[in-house]
Amino acid sequence: MSQTTPFTGGLYVITYGCQMNEYDSDKMASLLAKTHGLTLVTEPEEADVVLMNTCSVREKAQEKVFSELGRWEKWKKLKSNRVIGVGGCVASQEGREIRRRAPCVDVIFGPQTLHRLPAMIDEVLRVRGDDSIKKKKAVIDISFPEIEKFDHLPEPEVNGVSAMVSVMEGCSKYCTFCVVPYTRGEEVSRPYEDVLHEIRILAEQGVREVNLLGQNVNAYRGVMEDGDIADLAVLMHAVRAIEGIGRIRFTTSHPNEMTQSIINCYAEIPELVSHLHLPIQSGSDKVLAMMKRNHMVLEYKSTIRKVRALRPNLCLSGDFIIGFPGETCDDFKETLALVEELKYDRSFSFIYSERPGTPAAGFLDEEPMEKKKRRLFAIQELLNKQTADISDAMLGTVQRVLVERLSRKSFDQVAGRTENNRVVNFSGSPELIGQFVDVEITEALTNSLQGNLIATPEADSHIAPQAYAL
Ligand code: SAM
Ligand code: F3S
């Protein structure tokens, strides 16, 4: 790895896709800061190294990558020693094709090889400086060296009071519509002690909330020092014992991995938020079977019932795919009925996108796009209404808020998040940043809440957050 850096400008990273990609982009930035002295810049024109971290879950996201790369050709011409890299799931899936369509790209790396980025950039520079190499090729590494990546990433650096911690990678579920198992590889968990070590470092630097991340985070099976295997429940019990950590989230989960021990955590771990993101995709058993989700609607409902028995104020969110091949109007009505029954908070719904190489790409899909769009509109209308209902039901309640930053609304306000991830702005001193406080909700706006500070329970713990009736 380079100790002396040839770069004078900075690093520009553009990120598409999920929280895992955001996490990976942060890691790339801290890695390249360490190895090549690159600091993040806000404009690509100012950068010596420009990276795109891509997503290929839906076709639209993938198309965006190629149209963006068209613009990057221009930047390369403006500064010929600029290094351009493409990582993430599109890189993993398309590999060399990226270079064919965008000759400006120097480095192509996958989600599991981003830790090799410094060496790959050095190789680009070496080849560039070698006049005997006439045809300069892109440096490509999109292999799956399992969890090696985590051993080569720098210790976490904190920017804020909440941090994401990746605990497992990949997916072994192979839903018939999804590219993730092919682009990110099979499920691999980080060793238990490594995860705890990372969280301890974060907590020492002032982090109060951790979001345990994984494509199927509840499938976590981390090897412990004594050779035993820890599941997500064991991990969360250990995380709550780390001094300073006052709030735990986990995302995203698969219904089949919601074991009784994870469900019990809702009773045993007060630090675990009353919020669960549990995608079901469809409310029709027929569609679930075609998707190869390996569970039925009733099993999903039973899981939610069990969690809500322990946490009556649980906010549930999910992902829905509309217009999967073979989905009829009646199937869609079953999805709507499920959403009506379970009541969802801010959720994701998208029209099915055919992904090359997945089994569903070969399924007969006769439903016209117009019908699918009407269904999407209907479910989004219902989901938005349910989200607004939850915000309205929070009016007048006292919520525990982790204060994260100064408010963007007013200079004498601070902003934090509730357990169900809503931003709350309220008048308060910047000294509250990093503290859990109790705030009475006074106004529900479309994207945030307004409130009044009631108590600072870390000093005065007698007011507990109130449940809100839905
Ligand atoms: N672990 C999660 C689960 O149990 O479903 C899924 C993670 S997946 C990367 C994120 C979401 O992308 C899925 O829940 C699904 O709704 C959406 N998705 C994946 N493939 C898709 C496709 N081909 N078309 C539309 N949406 C898709
Ligand atoms: Fe994709 Fe299904 Fe895994 S949606 S990430 S294959 S659980």
Side-chain angles (χ1 to χ4, degrees):
M1 267 182 218
S2 191
Q3 294 307 320
T4 53
T5 176
F7 299 122
T8 51
L11 167 72
Y12 180 79
V13 186
I14 177 166
T15 308
Y16 295 116
C18 61
Q19 279 173 315
M20 295 292 288
N21 269 13
E22 280 172 33
Y23 178 86
D24 284 350
S25 293
D26 284 353
K27 292 287 175 196
M28 288 175 209
S30 47
L31 188 61
L32 290 174
K34 219 169 180 180
T35 59
H36 288 71
L38 286 163
T39 49
L40 278 175
V41 292
T42 51
E43 298 301 327
E45 287 79 2
E46 295 164 15
D48 278 340
V49 177
V50 185
L51 300 176
M52 191 190 290
N53 195 6
T54 63
C55 168
S56 61
V57 161
R58 282 173 294 274
E59 191 184 1
K60 247 197 189 138
Q62 185 153 354
E63 275 168 6
K64 239 196 243 166
V65 171
F66 287 106
S67 63
E68 186 75 10
L69 279 172
R71 298 204 298 134
W72 288 21
E73 290 284 349
K74 173 189 81 189
W75 300 333
K76 185 73 168 279
K77 283 188 191 122
L78 290 174
K79 194 173 185 185
S80 60
N81 65 346
R82 193 168 265 154
V83 175
I84 294 186
V86 178
C89 291
V90 177
S92 170
Q93 207 171 18
E94 299 288 329
R96 204 164 292 282
E97 176 67 9
I98 292 181
R99 169 77 172 198
R100 199 187 63 75
R101 288 178 60 177
C104 68
V105 175
D106 306 296
V107 178
I108 299 168
F109 56 101
Q112 307 306 346
T113 49
L114 64 90
H115 59 291
R116 297 180 183 167
L117 197 49
M120 293 169 85
I121 290 175
D122 285 348
E123 177 61 8
V124 170
L125 299 176
R126 187 192 69 76
V127 170
R128 258 187 206 166
D130 187 342
D131 293 336
S132 67
I133 305 174
K134 294 284 170 268
K135 199 164 182 293
K136 318 275 190 205
K137 289 186 182 156
V139 177
I140 303 178
D141 186 349
I142 49 173
S143 57
F144 295 126
E146 297 234 320
I147 215 74
E148 171 198 298
K149 162 173 136 183
F150 290 105
D151 295 334
H152 294 84
L153 292 175
E155 300 264 89
E157 272 167 50
V158 171
N159 54 1
V161 296
S162 174
M164 296 188 277
V165 176
S166 175
V167 304
M168 60 83 69
E169 288 268 336
C171 180
S172 310
K173 302 287 185 280
Y174 293 94
C175 300
T176 54
F177 53 82
C178 186
V179 288
V180 169
Y182 312 100
T183 56
R184 285 190 171 261
E186 296 242 326
E187 287 162 7
V188 185
S189 295
R190 284 177 76 188
Y192 174 78
E193 269 83 16
D194 286 9
V195 175
L196 294 179
H197 174 71
E198 177 165 337
I199 297 175
R200 264 184 228 112
I201 292 176
L202 290 168
E204 278 161 18
Q205 296 180 63
V207 163
R208 307 295 318 275
E209 171 186 286
V210 284
N211 190 348
L212 306 174
L213 284 188
Q215 218 57 246
N216 274 315
V217 69
N218 55 350
Y220 177 77
R221 302 284 184 277
V223 180
M224 301 168 93
E225 235 158 38
D226 59 7
D228 274 3
I229 302 290
D231 67 358
L232 186 69
V234 171
L235 183 69
M236 287 196 290
H237 276 282
V239 171
R240 81 168 286 224
I242 294 175
E243 202 182 325
I245 298 300
R247 197 181 259 181
I248 302 172
R249 302 181 185 277
F250 62 86
T251 194
T252 175
S253 295
H254 191 285
N256 288 354
E257 302 282 357
M258 281 305 285
T259 56
Q260 191 58 49
S261 56
I262 296 177
I263 294 172
N264 290 345
C265 289
Y266 285 91
E268 297 160 356
I269 303 183
E271 291 82 0
L272 176 60
V273 291
S274 291
H275 182 241
L276 170 64
H277 185 75
L278 196 64
I280 182 163
Q281 318 297 353
S282 169
S284 149
D285 282 333
K286 182 193 93 189
V287 175
L288 288 181
M290 292 191 303
M291 288 176 164
K292 200 164 98 38
R293 293 289 289 178
N294 289 326
H295 67 82
M296 299 179 84
V297 175
L298 205 61
E299 291 161 303
Y300 178 88
K301 285 205 255 186
S302 149
T303 299
I304 303 303
R305 200 169 39 245
K306 284 183 202 159
V307 180
R308 281 191 166 146
L310 302 173
R311 288 283 181 96
N313 63 340
L314 181 95
C315 270
L316 172 69
S317 59
D319 298 344
F320 299 91
I321 294 181
I322 308 306
F324 186 77
E327 181 193 80
T328 62
C329 203
D330 284 343
D331 293 319
F332 175 66
K333 280 184 187 154
E334 289 188 56
T335 305
L336 280 185
L338 176 85
V339 173
E340 276 287 5
E341 183 182 338
L342 292 184
K343 309 263 184 279
Y344 281 85
D345 199 3
R346 292 179 299 179
S347 297
F348 300 98
S349 51
F350 289 99
I351 290 180
Y352 164 72
S353 168
E354 185 180 305
R355 304 287 53 222
T358 59
F363 294 179
L364 191 64
D365 187 4
E366 289 178 312
E367 211 69 333
M369 187 48 87
E370 262 323 296
K371 268 193 178 175
K372 295 186 181 188
K373 283 187 180 161
R374 277 204 295 273
R375 285 178 200 163
L376 183 70
F377 182 78
I379 195 166
Q380 288 190 338
E381 204 170 38
L382 178 58
L383 288 168
N384 289 342
K385 184 181 174 308
Q386 292 187 338
T387 301
D389 286 349
I390 291 175
S391 294
D392 287 345
M394 292 170 80
L395 280 175
T397 64
V398 175
Q399 296 292 319
R400 179 103 358 130
V401 170
L402 173 58
V403 187
E404 292 183 351
R405 56 178 167 81
L406 294 176
S407 167
R408 295 187 189 108
K409 293 207 155 185
S410 165
F411 64 88
D412 61 349
Q413 294 202 346
V414 286
R417 278 176 196 271
T418 59
E419 287 202 11
N420 61 354
N421 233 338
R422 283 194 175 41
V423 173
V424 188
N425 292 287
F426 59 96
S427 293
S429 146
E431 281 169 15
L432 293 175
I433 293 171
Q435 279 192 41
F436 287 95
V437 299
D438 287 340
V439 176
E440 183 183 2
I441 307 303
T442 54
E443 200 182 348
L445 306 165
T446 318
N447 296 314
S448 64
L449 303 169
Q450 193 66 37
N452 284 332
L453 180 65
I454 297 289
T456 49
E458 295 197 292
D460 162 10
S461 59
H462 65 272
I463 299 181
Q466 241 169 268
Y468 38 87
L470 293 179

